[in-house]
Amino acid sequence: METNPTVVEAEKLREFKLAGINRLSVGIQALNNKDLKVLGRNHNVDEALRCLEIAKSLFPGRTSVDVIFGRPAQTLDCWQKELEQIVDIADNHVSLYELTVEQGTELFEEVADGRLSVPGDDLMADMYAVSVQLLENSGFMRYEVSNFARKGAESSHNKAYWSGSQYIGVGPGAHGRFCPAGEGRLHREARIQTLEPVSWMMAVERFRHATSTRVVQSQLDILEEILMMGLQTKDGISEETWQLLSGTSLEKVFGSSPTVQELVEHELLELNGHRLCASHKGLSVVNSITLNLLNVLDNYFNSEGAVADR
């Protein structure tokens, strides 16, 4: 479960544990009150630290810290020092997210009209590179682009959707991917819950659920998702999973592609009889790799006339 580290949320953690919650992600986001205000967060650093200590006592070894980098006016040196503090207070798991300036937010308006500026692409890349090195030197291994864990502390829930397994999303804005039981059909659906918390609660009370969107996924939809999600991870996409979802091999779809061969030659991608995955170096530029492989997948479907409900 994810929690915002306010005083109110911290007081509820024991109740959540009694209700069956066994893992917690604490959205600290920053160890700087000014930046928390810019991000629109309703907690301060002291509250965050108190909540984290309570969480670690209730969920020892199963508490994650979420942090955002690339914040307005943030420098590489400031970020490195802050991340060192995060390492000191973290349990066994850290999630790092590059700041995304969402349209419609106050931050978007402040950046758009020049009141605030965010780091450029090169500085963002340097921040991420420093993060990987610092965390891995501290025993936190990168098992997904944004997720780092000490041995045995990886999130099994996260692994479910990175590997193409079924999962149910519960809560405002949550996503799910599963085959509904009891409807007389075998298909996989993408489901999205109502975004706003108050609207979500009202829908649950009235309809006993708050699903706002249901979309039946085609075979190509599913394969595109497993490609996008799986390549974000250290282990990538296994041949077994790909065969199960596609009915063909990774080698047949990607092996003859000049684009894939070039990525392999530059040691950014690995393709063998067992899996398709980004290399350690490739994980740092995995978004561009993924775009290339999505084009290869789409070309395969077009050229082979693969069976897909497009």
Side-chain angles (χ1 to χ4, degrees):
M1 189 185 77
E2 298 179 3
T3 184
N4 291 319
T6 62
V7 173
V8 174
E9 289 292 309
E11 291 173 350
K12 294 179 180 178
L13 295 185
R14 289 180 178 82
E15 296 176 34
F16 289 138
K17 182 173 183 178
L18 290 173
I21 299 299
N22 62 7
R23 187 182 180 97
L24 201 67
S25 293
V26 181
I28 286 180
Q29 313 307 1
L31 292 178
N32 178 307
N33 284 328
K34 181 180 177 181
D35 284 358
L36 288 172
K37 186 175 180 180
V38 168
L39 294 172
R41 305 294 168 168
N42 58 355
H43 67 271
N44 60 42
V45 174
D46 288 341
E47 289 173 336
L49 295 177
R50 177 175 176 271
C51 181
L52 179 60
E53 288 307 308
I54 294 172
K56 289 194 296 184
S57 69
L58 292 170
F59 306 94
R62 302 180 67 83
T63 298
S64 180
V65 173
D66 292 359
V67 195
I68 294 174
F69 69 94
R71 308 190 296 263
Q74 191 175 40
T75 66
L76 182 62
D77 184 58
C78 286
W79 167 238
Q80 184 169 346
K81 289 178 180 177
E82 185 171 341
L83 189 56
E84 288 170 353
Q85 291 179 272
I86 293 293
V87 167
D88 288 340
I89 63 175
D91 189 10
N92 288 332
H93 194 284
V94 175
S95 295
L96 299 180
Y97 299 104
E98 180 180 322
L99 176 65
T100 301
V101 181
E102 299 285 355
Q103 191 166 358
T105 63
E106 184 177 348
L107 178 57
F108 180 89
E109 298 299 327
E110 291 174 328
V111 172
D113 65 19
R115 282 178 287 163
L116 292 175
S117 62
V118 295
D121 292 343
D122 289 344
L123 181 51
M124 285 285 203
D126 289 342
M127 287 179 171
Y128 181 71
V130 164
S131 303
V132 173
Q133 183 176 17
L134 195 158
L135 285 165
E136 291 190 340
N137 288 344
S138 302
F140 292 85
M141 295 299 103
R142 178 174 59 170
Y143 70 102
E144 193 268 347
V145 169
S146 300
N147 287 274
F148 301 75
R150 292 192 171 109
K151 189 174 182 180
E154 296 88 350
S155 169
S156 56
H157 174 75
N158 288 350
K159 284 185 174 181
Y161 54 78
W162 293 329
S163 63
S165 300
Q166 297 185 67
Y167 59 94
I168 296 174
V170 178
H175 288 238
R177 300 289 187 273
F178 59 93
C179 298
E183 296 189 358
R185 294 179 295 169
L186 286 177
H187 62 258
R188 181 174 167 124
E189 289 187 1
R191 294 195 182 190
I192 304 175
Q193 301 269 300
T194 299
L195 179 60
E196 295 299 325
V198 173
S199 299
W200 182 86
M201 292 179 68
M202 290 175 63
V204 170
E205 290 174 352
R206 183 175 179 183
F207 305 112
R208 301 184 67 186
H209 73 86
T211 299
S212 61
T213 304
R214 292 179 61 174
V215 178
V216 176
Q217 293 188 292
S218 69
Q219 184 187 33
L220 183 56
D221 290 335
I222 295 170
L223 293 177
E224 286 177 339
E225 277 199 354
I226 188 62
L227 196 61
M228 288 187 289
M229 302 300 286
L231 284 174
Q232 301 282 315
T233 70
K234 173 178 67 71
D235 294 332
I237 304 150
S238 71
E239 178 68 25
E240 181 181 3
T241 295
W242 189 262
Q243 287 269 9
L244 179 66
L245 297 174
S246 72
T248 189
S249 67
L250 287 164
E251 179 65 33
K252 184 174 181 180
V253 178
F254 299 104
S256 62
S257 164
T259 299
V260 172
Q261 292 169 4
E262 184 177 355
L263 290 168
V264 171
E265 288 171 5
H266 285 84
E267 299 182 343
L268 295 171
L269 190 69
E270 298 175 13
L271 174 63
N272 54 47
H274 304 290
R275 65 184 62 255
L276 171 70
C277 63
S279 65
H280 189 275
K281 180 170 67 172
L283 275 176
S284 296
V285 291
V286 73
N287 287 342
S288 61
I289 293 174
T290 301
L291 287 174
N292 283 314
L293 294 192
L294 286 170
N295 287 331
V296 174
L297 175 62
D298 195 56
N299 290 336
Y300 171 79
F301 266 75
N302 288 330
S303 63
E304 294 293 323
V307 179
D309 180 11
R310 300 172 68 91

